[in-house]
Amino acid sequence: MNSYDNVDSSISKEVPMDATLSMGGNTHKIPLKLFQENRRRLAKNLKLKHVEKGSIVLLEGGNDIPLYDSDTTYLFRQESYFMWAFGITEPGCFGVIEVDTEITHIFIPKFPQEYAVWMGKILEKEEWSKKYAIENVHYVNDMPVVIKNLNPSLILTLKGINTDSGYYCKEAKFDGIDNFKVNNTILFNEIADLRVFKTDYEIEVLKYVIEMSSAAHRKVMRSVAIGKTEYQCESEFLHYCYNIGGCRHVSYTCICGSGHNASILHYGHAGAPNDRLIKEGDICLFDMGANYFGYTSDITCSYPANGKFTDDQKLIYNAVLNANLTVLNSAKPGISWADLHILAIKSLLDDLKKGGLLKGETEEMLKAGVGAIFQPHGLGHLMGLDVHDVGGYLSNNPPRPNHIPGIEKLRTARILAERMILTIEPGCYFIDHLIDKALADPDLSKYLIPDVVNRFRGFGGIRIEDDVLITKEGAVNLTKVPRSVEEIENWMSGKDDSKYKKFD
Amino acid sequence: MNSYDNVDSSISKEVPMDATLSMGGNTHKIPLKLFQENRRRLAKNLKLKHVEKGSIVLLEGGNDIPLYDSDTTYLFRQESYFMWAFGITEPGCFGVIEVDTEITHIFIPKFPQEYAVWMGKILEKEEWSKKYAIENVHYVNDMPVVIKNLNPSLILTLKGINTDSGYYCKEAKFDGIDNFKVNNTILFNEIADLRVFKTDYEIEVLKYVIEMSSAAHRKVMRSVAIGKTEYQCESEFLHYCYNIGGCRHVSYTCICGSGHNASILHYGHAGAPNDRLIKEGDICLFDMGANYFGYTSDITCSYPANGKFTDDQKLIYNAVLNANLTVLNSAKPGISWADLHILAIKSLLDDLKKGGLLKGETEEMLKAGVGAIFQPHGLGHLMGLDVHDVGGYLSNNPPRPNHIPGIEKLRTARILAERMILTIEPGCYFIDHLIDKALADPDLSKYLIPDVVNRFRGFGGIRIEDDVLITKEGAVNLTKVPRSVEEIENWMSGKDDSKYKKFD
């Protein structure tokens, strides 16, 4: 089911198109209508589900997180469901949507006037209303009274599990909510499913952040050098995205693996903080994505640090690129994501066979789990306000598959549909731990040619990750980076500037 | 009392000087001995306090914080007390110090081997021991058994309130701790007080991060331009600190106020994210400090965006600089920080009087609270592993003063002593809210010359913030940035490169 349809006339006041959020300069102007459209889609779907007349949706935004016991905080990031519905970038708020009328209320913290010294002018309710184009603004303190006056027949709150993390989302609460009829089972599926399908407004924001991240990747490709540390490349990426693109956050900790580190899927964490010196002969696998007002991107580029592929690097790179392009050309509405995962793995196995690393029937290898030795992760994932976006395994979706080894790692097994945005990210890694295990297991080792596989130990890995939009005609690749061996070598040597959109 | 003395011989094994933490390249190598010395100082002081023979100290490190319900996390930062004692940069750990012998144990998370695919090689206990130069490494799961075998007569845990935030620090707990005798009242005062006095090793790290931040400020001063947004300056600072200095974090959200925003003390937060365009005639007040392995810096530079001071800008700038230098020249062991606050305010009032903004007796104005109209914050604060460092108001310190308006904002009123590191940060701001209030209050308005004060509305503000070390001879300024009007104008025009240490 495609949950997205153009929304027709509504009772709530139209948000003007010139009301926007942006970081100034040439950064993308996000129309606040984006959030009104999301609220309308939600209200419409809830009405289609025949929720009681007089129901309201209640969501709670995020709060500042202190750095332990200190008076400093982590840089604030808004909770994604709340952002999706209200577009508010500040902590400490709640929001209400009246389902029948789509009329919206937000509840904001009330600060004493003295706070102006520290925070700047304390905005009045009318100023919040204008800033976020929301009709009704109240103070959080007044929630019990305001909601009582709305006299809702039912309060819909959000409770559901994130299938990537295992964590529950934050269910809104306020003093006195127990005096109302509350339902926390209806909302989650509806809103999570709507988040899967991007509106035109959302597609524009995602295009912006993906193109900005692409430009930053291109910049890094040209600044990488033997003798630099990996984190200097991370720093270059962060600076480009913020300085040029107004992206104050990235969507996840940058993974900047060089050499052997390119085989560590989530390299870059506190225990391995991108602190290795890049050496001659290294492959770089840089997985980095900017974030613009919550909207994410997630792009991986893999290339030789010195700008010139060796034969072995070409072999593995082209095998992964082939898998990537095969999926890109096959992805379209109606196709199962799980089937595309298998398609990618088969393509990879075929090419590794041609390259002399494997022997045997592809279908047999697939079932035995040879693919998962070299690509121990899923083909890709939904992407939106979370980098691993919600809605992967909702109650009415295909369940988590497990018919071949490794496929259980997929973050969704949904049937593709228009307006989904996903990553396509096949990879091939040489992970000692997995190779050792495979060589010790007769059911797997019979497919491996040990001398050749062992030659690749220490190689690291290749991942080619694109962000794509599913349209009626198929997948549209929104990522704009050099991808073929030739394109990469040309780009890194300073040629071929023409085909990319310039931001700086 | 100066709690720091050279530590004499000890029973625990000496950490070799070549065991270090760093970000590679030319970044500062922190000897792991720094943390051993801290543990020894703590054990020694506890013995001086006659804690029971057989006591152990138990501290809990920080954990990863998920981004709401998602499977991404905030970039990890270690808890400061734990960092101070063990130097461990990774989440999920505990640490124990045997007070009698200073023998140290850490407890690390046990990851399944499969995690190697995502995190890289899972370090064995011996590898942790080597990485952090800690004698005894155990798994967190084994804590109850290991601690039982240590057979402590008493477990000292950390409980105390942070007087800047009002939050309690995190008290260590494990399953079965109730079977031991636990004391949570002794440790806090001892360790917080020790954190106030920096060892030679710590001073070296702080010098590094302060000099690196100084260089980044100098870089920003030369790249600031009319038509840039404030956050582009923030981005430049972050990039320099990370790319050149290996500082993955800053110590607090960058405050990059231009024009009127320069009067907002904590500008830069989510509601005002440094997103204004810098205009001709603006003052820039940039308060930014890098962070290196937890050690902080905190520097403010104020200058005209176009590189040339107007007469009015000179007037206010020199008034603040005068206050800054007066304090810098007066700060030394034995002097009360509260007295220095008053000295700074008096200096400022004198100069504002000379500048024609005020009239009346300085002493009278001080008591009436005229100073707090223009500088509504304290003179400065202790600095170390927290930017507003702990130990400001311990039970045996002078209590929070309140004998003149505004002085209650001071984060400490301690008597200065050798090895303290503090900020000296007088300021002068034109905050409409405070000026309006003062003009409406006859007890204050009689000191103001309204026409002149009103001329400065919209001016923003000036803060000059240095990080200084208290030595026997007085305060040593560790901050290396152009400070006089002439130095600033020269620096911004590209002259005068010679006197600063180059990092890049």
Side-chain angles (χ1 to χ4, degrees):
Chain A
M1 183 194 72
N2 180 339
S3 310
Y4 177 78
D5 287 294
N6 284 319
V7 177
D8 18 61
S9 66
S10 140
I11 305 154
S12 61
K13 233 169 96 184
E14 207 64 34
V15 170
M17 274 304 289
D18 62 351
T20 60
L21 286 180
S22 92
M23 286 294 275
N26 297 321
T27 61
H28 182 71
K29 289 190 171 56
I30 302 178
L32 288 165
K33 214 166 164 28
L34 182 157
F35 307 104
Q36 183 179 47
E37 183 154 322
N38 284 342
R39 297 192 293 272
R40 287 182 173 178
R41 293 163 70 207
L42 178 60
K44 184 179 167 193
N45 276 20
L46 290 170
K47 279 183 270 193
L48 288 173
K49 294 268 165 179
H50 304 292
V51 301
E52 279 180 50
K53 211 170 146 48
S55 295
I56 65 170
V57 167
L58 174 66
L59 294 176
E60 182 172 350
N63 291 304
D64 264 327
I65 300 176
L67 190 61
Y68 301 103
D69 64 333
S70 80
D71 65 345
T72 50
T73 57
Y74 288 86
L75 200 51
F76 179 70
R77 301 179 67 161
Q78 188 54 284
E79 196 277 333
S80 300
Y81 286 102
F82 190 80
M83 189 68 196
W84 180 87
F86 302 103
I88 291 170
T89 61
E90 291 165 77
C93 300
F94 289 74
V96 157
I97 306 162
E98 300 185 45
V99 176
D100 302 337
T101 59
E102 296 155 21
I103 287 171
T104 303
H105 304 257
I106 54 166
F107 298 85
I108 62 169
K110 188 168 173 66
F111 297 113
Q113 273 309 315
E114 303 86 81
Y115 275 41
V117 172
W118 302 90
M119 302 175 59
K121 184 176 183 317
I122 306 296
L123 297 189
E124 301 293 333
K125 289 193 279 189
E126 298 68 36
E127 291 166 300
W128 277 78
S129 176
K130 192 157 175 253
K131 180 173 179 185
Y132 293 110
I134 299 233
E135 302 148 283
N136 305 290
V137 180
H138 319 274
Y139 290 117
V140 168
N141 288 347
D142 299 331
M143 270 180 77
V145 176
V146 173
I147 292 184
K148 197 174 168 209
N149 289 342
L150 291 179
N151 193 25
S153 60
L154 178 67
I155 299 181
L156 298 166
T157 58
L158 192 66
K159 187 178 179 182
I161 208 159
N162 182 308
T163 46
D164 292 315
S165 66
Y167 298 133
Y168 279 92
C169 56
K170 187 177 177 187
E171 190 177 352
K173 275 196 174 45
F174 64 91
D175 271 353
I177 194 169
D178 295 342
N179 302 326
F180 296 89
K181 196 172 137 196
V182 175
N183 176 306
N184 66 10
T185 60
I186 298 171
L187 188 59
F188 181 76
N189 240 47
E190 295 306 313
I191 192 167
D193 196 58
L194 281 169
R195 279 180 58 184
V196 171
F197 302 95
K198 274 65 181 180
T199 66
D200 287 348
Y201 300 122
E202 289 181 306
I203 289 168
E204 284 309 306
V205 187
L206 286 158
K207 269 186 177 164
Y208 172 75
V209 69
I210 293 165
E211 288 190 7
M212 184 55 62
S213 301
S214 299
H217 268 283
R218 297 197 305 266
K219 168 92 175 184
V220 172
M221 285 177 87
R222 283 194 173 167
S223 68
V224 75
I226 312 303
K228 274 200 175 185
T229 48
E230 298 160 334
Y231 67 76
Q232 292 183 303
C233 303
E234 175 184 4
S235 187
E236 196 75 60
F237 182 86
L238 298 173
H239 183 44
Y240 190 97
C241 295
Y242 196 14
N243 186 46
I244 307 293
C247 300
R248 202 178 199 189
H249 300 279
V250 277
S251 298
Y252 49 95
T253 303
C254 293
I255 301 169
C256 298
S258 66
H260 178 68
N261 293 338
S263 69
I264 303 172
L265 302 188
H266 283 178
Y267 184 70
H269 57 85
N274 295 329
D275 60 349
R276 178 180 175 275
L277 273 179
I278 298 170
K279 294 196 184 122
E280 179 57 37
D282 280 350
I283 271 290
C284 295
L285 183 158
F286 289 173
D287 182 348
M288 313 184 282
N291 188 293
Y292 191 68
F293 286 92
Y295 283 91
T296 62
S297 60
D298 184 358
I299 296 171
T300 309
C301 294
S302 304
Y303 44 86
N306 65 10
K308 198 83 194 145
F309 284 83
T310 64
D311 286 345
D312 273 355
Q313 287 170 344
K314 250 183 237 176
L315 192 168
I316 305 301
Y317 188 87
N318 282 327
V320 177
L321 184 60
N322 208 4
N324 171 289
L325 293 174
T326 302
V327 172
L328 195 62
N329 292 328
S330 310
K332 62 179 179 192
I335 301 280
S336 142
W337 191 240
D339 288 350
L340 288 178
H341 174 85
I342 291 173
L343 186 70
I345 298 287
K346 275 182 170 174
S347 170
L348 181 67
L349 291 173
D350 279 343
D351 282 355
L352 293 182
K353 209 160 71 179
K354 278 184 221 152
L357 287 84
L358 302 178
K359 59 184 180 201
E361 284 306 310
T362 302
E363 199 68 37
E364 265 183 41
M365 288 197 273
L366 181 78
K367 283 183 188 142
V370 180
I373 304 169
F374 298 99
Q375 188 201 296
H377 62 70
L379 171 63
H381 49 81
L382 295 162
M383 204 187 83
L385 277 166
D386 285 343
V387 61
H388 298 150
D389 213 11
V390 295
Y393 292 109
L394 297 177
S395 54
N396 49 346
N397 298 147
R400 196 179 280 276
N402 62 2
H403 52 298
I404 64 156
I407 202 167
E408 73 284 355
K409 297 273 167 58
L410 276 181
R411 295 175 188 280
T412 186
R414 288 181 75 142
I415 307 305
L416 293 187
E418 279 179 65
R419 296 186 179 278
M420 285 181 171
I421 287 191
L422 304 103
T423 66
I424 296 178
E425 49 173 312
C428 179
Y429 316 90
F430 296 89
I431 302 169
D432 286 331
H433 166 66
L434 297 184
I435 294 172
D436 292 341
K437 250 175 76 178
L439 288 173
D441 176 350
D443 292 338
L444 289 169
S445 66
K446 65 182 174 190
Y447 301 110
L448 271 61
I449 301 176
D451 284 356
V452 186
V453 169
N454 284 328
R455 189 174 88 219
F456 284 90
R457 284 182 189 263
F459 173 99
I462 300 287
R463 178 162 63 251
I464 300 177
E465 180 177 26
D466 288 322
D467 301 336
V468 307
L469 168 67
I470 305 300
T471 69
K472 208 176 291 180
E473 289 76 33
V476 175
N477 192 352
L478 306 177
T479 315
K480 309 289 180 202
V481 294
R483 281 302 190 204
S484 73
V485 164
E486 197 192 348
E487 282 170 344
I488 291 172
E489 291 185 346
N490 277 344
W491 178 260
M492 291 181 78
S493 72
K495 289 182 216 150
D496 191 17
D497 267 14
S498 56
K499 65 194 271 199
Y500 300 108
K501 180 172 166 189
K502 283 201 171 48
F503 289 93
D504 54 339
Chain B
M1 185 192 70
N2 180 337
S3 311
Y4 177 78
D5 287 292
N6 284 318
V7 177
D8 18 61
S9 66
S10 140
I11 305 155
S12 61
K13 235 169 93 185
E14 207 63 35
V15 171
M17 274 303 291
D18 61 351
T20 60
L21 285 181
S22 92
M23 286 295 274
N26 297 321
T27 61
H28 182 71
K29 288 188 173 58
I30 302 178
L32 289 163
K33 212 162 166 26
L34 182 157
F35 307 104
Q36 184 180 45
E37 183 154 322
N38 284 342
R39 296 192 293 274
R40 287 181 171 178
R41 294 163 68 207
L42 178 60
K44 185 181 165 193
N45 277 17
L46 289 170
K47 279 182 271 193
L48 288 172
K49 294 269 164 178
H50 304 292
V51 301
E52 279 179 51
K53 212 172 147 46
S55 296
I56 65 170
V57 168
L58 174 67
L59 293 176
E60 183 172 350
N63 291 304
D64 264 327
I65 300 175
L67 189 61
Y68 301 102
D69 64 333
S70 80
D71 64 346
T72 50
T73 57
Y74 289 85
L75 200 50
F76 179 71
R77 301 180 67 162
Q78 187 56 282
E79 197 277 332
S80 299
Y81 287 101
F82 190 79
M83 190 68 195
W84 179 88
F86 302 104
I88 291 171
T89 60
E90 292 165 76
C93 300
F94 288 74
V96 158
I97 307 161
E98 301 185 45
V99 176
D100 301 338
T101 60
E102 296 155 21
I103 287 172
T104 303
H105 303 256
I106 54 166
F107 297 85
I108 62 170
K110 189 171 173 64
F111 298 113
Q113 271 310 314
E114 303 85 80
Y115 275 41
V117 172
W118 303 89
M119 301 176 58
K121 185 176 182 319
I122 305 296
L123 297 189
E124 301 293 334
K125 290 192 280 189
E126 299 69 34
E127 291 166 301
W128 276 78
S129 175
K130 193 157 175 254
K131 180 172 180 186
Y132 292 110
I134 300 241
E135 302 147 285
N136 305 290
V137 181
H138 320 273
Y139 291 117
V140 169
N141 287 347
D142 299 331
M143 270 181 77
V145 177
V146 173
I147 292 184
K148 196 171 170 213
N149 288 342
L150 291 178
N151 193 26
S153 60
L154 178 66
I155 299 180
L156 297 166
T157 58
L158 192 65
K159 187 178 178 183
I161 208 159
N162 183 307
T163 46
D164 292 314
S165 67
Y167 299 133
Y168 279 93
C169 56
K170 187 177 177 186
E171 191 178 352
K173 274 197 174 44
F174 64 90
D175 271 352
I177 194 168
D178 295 341
N179 303 324
F180 296 90
K181 195 173 137 197
V182 176
N183 176 305
N184 65 11
T185 60
I186 297 171
L187 188 58
F188 181 76
N189 240 48
E190 294 307 313
I191 193 167
D193 195 57
L194 280 170
R195 280 181 57 186
V196 171
F197 302 95
K198 274 64 180 180
T199 66
D200 287 347
Y201 300 121
E202 288 180 306
I203 289 168
E204 285 309 307
V205 186
L206 286 158
K207 270 186 177 167
Y208 172 76
V209 69
I210 294 164
E211 287 190 8
M212 184 55 62
S213 301
S214 299
H217 268 282
R218 297 196 306 266
K219 168 93 176 183
V220 171
M221 285 177 87
R222 283 195 172 164
S223 68
V224 74
I226 313 302
K228 274 199 175 186
T229 48
E230 298 159 333
Y231 67 76
Q232 292 184 302
C233 302
E234 175 184 4
S235 186
E236 196 74 61
F237 182 86
L238 298 173
H239 182 45
Y240 191 97
C241 296
Y242 196 13
N243 186 47
I244 306 295
C247 300
R248 202 178 200 188
H249 300 278
V250 277
S251 298
Y252 50 94
T253 302
C254 292
I255 300 169
C256 297
S258 66
H260 178 68
N261 294 338
S263 69
I264 304 171
L265 302 188
H266 283 178
Y267 183 70
H269 56 84
N274 294 330
D275 59 349
R276 178 180 175 275
L277 273 179
I278 297 170
K279 294 196 184 125
E280 179 56 38
D282 280 351
I283 272 289
C284 295
L285 183 158
F286 290 173
D287 183 348
M288 314 186 280
N291 188 293
Y292 191 68
F293 286 93
Y295 282 92
T296 61
S297 60
D298 184 357
I299 295 171
T300 308
C301 294
S302 304
Y303 43 85
N306 64 10
K308 197 83 194 145
F309 283 83
T310 65
D311 286 344
D312 273 355
Q313 287 170 343
K314 251 183 238 177
L315 193 168
I316 305 302
Y317 188 86
N318 282 328
V320 177
L321 184 61
N322 209 3
N324 170 290
L325 294 174
T326 302
V327 172
L328 195 62
N329 292 327
S330 311
K332 62 180 178 191
I335 302 281
S336 143
W337 190 241
D339 288 349
L340 288 177
H341 174 85
I342 290 173
L343 186 69
I345 298 287
K346 275 181 172 175
S347 170
L348 181 68
L349 291 172
D350 279 341
D351 281 356
L352 293 182
K353 210 160 68 176
K354 277 184 223 155
L357 287 85
L358 302 178
K359 59 183 178 201
E361 284 306 308
T362 303
E363 199 68 36
E364 266 183 42
M365 288 196 271
L366 182 78
K367 284 184 188 142
V370 180
I373 304 168
F374 297 99
Q375 188 200 297
H377 62 71
L379 171 63
H381 49 82
L382 295 163
M383 204 186 83
L385 277 165
D386 286 344
V387 61
H388 298 150
D389 213 11
V390 295
Y393 291 109
L394 297 177
S395 53
N396 49 345
N397 299 149
R400 195 179 281 276
N402 62 3
H403 52 298
I404 64 156
I407 202 167
E408 73 285 355
K409 296 273 167 59
L410 275 182
R411 296 175 189 278
T412 185
R414 288 180 76 141
I415 307 304
L416 293 187
E418 279 179 65
R419 296 185 178 278
M420 285 181 170
I421 287 191
L422 304 103
T423 67
I424 295 178
E425 49 173 311
C428 179
Y429 316 90
F430 295 89
I431 302 169
D432 287 329
H433 167 66
L434 296 185
I435 295 173
D436 292 342
K437 250 176 75 176
L439 288 173
D441 177 349
D443 291 339
L444 290 169
S445 65
K446 65 182 174 192
Y447 301 111
L448 272 59
I449 301 176
D451 284 357
V452 187
V453 169
N454 284 328
R455 189 174 88 219
F456 284 90
R457 285 183 188 262
F459 173 98
I462 300 287
R463 178 161 64 249
I464 301 178
E465 180 178 27
D466 288 322
D467 301 337
V468 308
L469 168 68
I470 306 299
T471 69
K472 208 177 291 179
E473 289 75 34
V476 175
N477 192 354
L478 306 177
T479 315
K480 309 289 181 203
V481 295
R483 279 302 189 206
S484 73
V485 163
E486 196 190 349
E487 282 171 343
I488 291 173
E489 291 186 347
N490 278 342
W491 178 259
M492 291 182 77
S493 72
K495 289 181 218 153
D496 190 19
D497 268 14
S498 55
K499 63 194 271 198
Y500 301 108
K501 180 174 167 188
K502 283 203 169 47
F503 289 94
D504 57 336

